[in-house]
Amino acid sequence: MPIPSPAPGRAELIDHLVRTRIAGNVATPRDNNLSHYRKLANGDRHYWLGLELGDRWTDEQDVLAVMAERCGVVDDPGHRAGQDTIDPGLTVDALDRMAAVLRKSAGEGHRVLFATGHPGGLLDVHRTLAAGMRAAGCEVMEIPGGLRADEGFVVQFADVAVLERGATLWHTHSPAPMAAILDALEREGRPLPDLVVADHGWAGCAGQRGVEAVGFADCNDPALFLGEAEGTLAVTVPLDDHVLDPRFYDPMTAYLLDAAGLRGPSGR
């Protein structure tokens, strides 16, 4: 599949992110964000996304401070309801950091695993990145067959690992599908990925297991930002992970591939 073309420049991409609400004034309301920060701080593992946060983040104000710094949410703890934000400049900065990881990985011909817990929004982003990495000489890993997790099947669709339940690709925050893949690779004596490109618990589990991981995360999913702050994840890109039309992510994907020096198999 060819690289989406043309790749926008930084200013053009920022304008696009704001217009499509991938960043800027995003749809996720402030009270939802704060509720998730509080639940993470209170030890609810659903919000840890596969990371082991211990007792390091038991104050929701500390979580808010990291989210303001790395995601761009409003840093005023008194702002309890209404609109919240993602700083589009931080989104592009993180895309640049992710591009550097992808470029290095492509240069070394790494084994790369792609996965998403948000197939309704981000599946095509991951699929396009996989095509670019394969064209650059990387091995896009094939997962073992017959895997199950969370009452569903862990399968690969268009080179991207997903959770399937009831003939539907499933939205999931769980780390269990990624754990099933990594455990099966070890059982079969196969090497683990050199790099995981993912989101939600797929990314968190990989990072926690010591695999280099980069991921995308919404402003109500603080765990991956904490993981990056602690060095467990290499990069976390802040964005709304399910906007009105998945095609809205195409310019962002084109920017990322271009910044990483990747091309699709057509050579474009």
Side-chain angles (χ1 to χ4, degrees):
M1 192 190 73
I3 180 173
S5 180
R10 179 184 176 92
E12 183 183 356
L13 179 58
I14 285 176
D15 178 68
H16 173 79
L17 295 174
V18 172
R19 283 189 293 103
T20 57
R21 301 185 73 184
I22 295 172
N25 291 328
V26 293
T28 309
R30 177 67 168 191
D31 56 341
N32 182 265
N33 283 346
L34 295 181
S35 172
H36 287 201
Y37 304 169
R38 184 178 313 112
K39 290 173 180 176
L40 179 147
N42 288 339
D44 187 335
R45 285 179 172 266
H46 174 77
Y47 297 92
W48 288 16
L49 302 183
L51 295 168
E52 292 299 329
L53 301 176
D55 59 359
R56 300 184 297 279
W57 299 99
T58 57
D59 186 337
E60 66 178 281
Q61 300 307 321
D62 291 339
V63 178
L64 174 60
V66 170
M67 294 302 292
E69 176 189 10
R70 293 180 177 268
C71 185
V73 302
V74 177
D75 62 1
D76 178 9
H79 179 51
R80 310 298 298 179
Q83 185 69 55
D84 213 339
T85 60
I86 293 175
D87 183 336
L90 293 178
T91 301
V92 179
D93 289 346
L95 289 170
D96 288 338
R97 297 196 304 275
M98 181 182 283
V101 173
L102 296 178
R103 180 188 291 271
K104 180 176 183 294
S105 194
E108 297 178 4
H110 280 168
R111 297 179 301 274
V112 188
L113 175 63
F114 293 84
T116 185
H118 235 302
L122 298 179
L123 178 63
D124 208 40
V125 174
H126 290 289
R127 177 179 72 93
T128 306
L129 294 177
M133 292 295 276
R134 175 180 283 114
C138 286
E139 175 190 349
V140 176
M141 294 190 70
E142 180 178 330
I143 69 171
L147 301 183
R148 303 200 64 171
D150 296 331
E151 301 179 344
F153 294 92
V154 185
V155 298
Q156 235 165 346
F157 183 77
D159 287 327
V160 185
V162 292
L163 181 66
E164 184 270 329
R165 289 172 62 181
T168 300
L169 302 186
W170 206 256
H171 172 214
T172 177
H173 289 72
S174 173
M178 179 58 76
I181 293 173
L182 298 180
D183 289 345
L185 290 172
E186 290 181 336
R187 283 196 307 271
E188 295 181 2
R190 292 174 54 190
L192 297 181
D194 298 304
L195 175 67
V196 164
V197 182
D199 48 66
H200 286 179
W202 301 84
C205 176
Q208 187 63 47
R209 296 275 288 262
V211 178
E212 184 175 29
V214 295
F216 302 96
D218 209 328
C219 55
N220 63 353
D221 291 328
L224 297 191
F225 296 97
L226 302 182
E228 183 184 19
E230 293 191 331
T232 311
L233 268 75
V235 181
T236 299
V237 177
L239 48 69
D240 187 317
D241 55 16
H242 196 122
V243 293
L244 182 65
D245 185 344
R247 294 274 70 81
F248 289 165
Y249 296 108
D250 287 355
M252 180 195 79
T253 308
Y255 178 93
L256 180 55
L257 285 171
D258 186 67
L262 301 176
R263 297 174 180 269
S266 70
R268 289 177 56 188

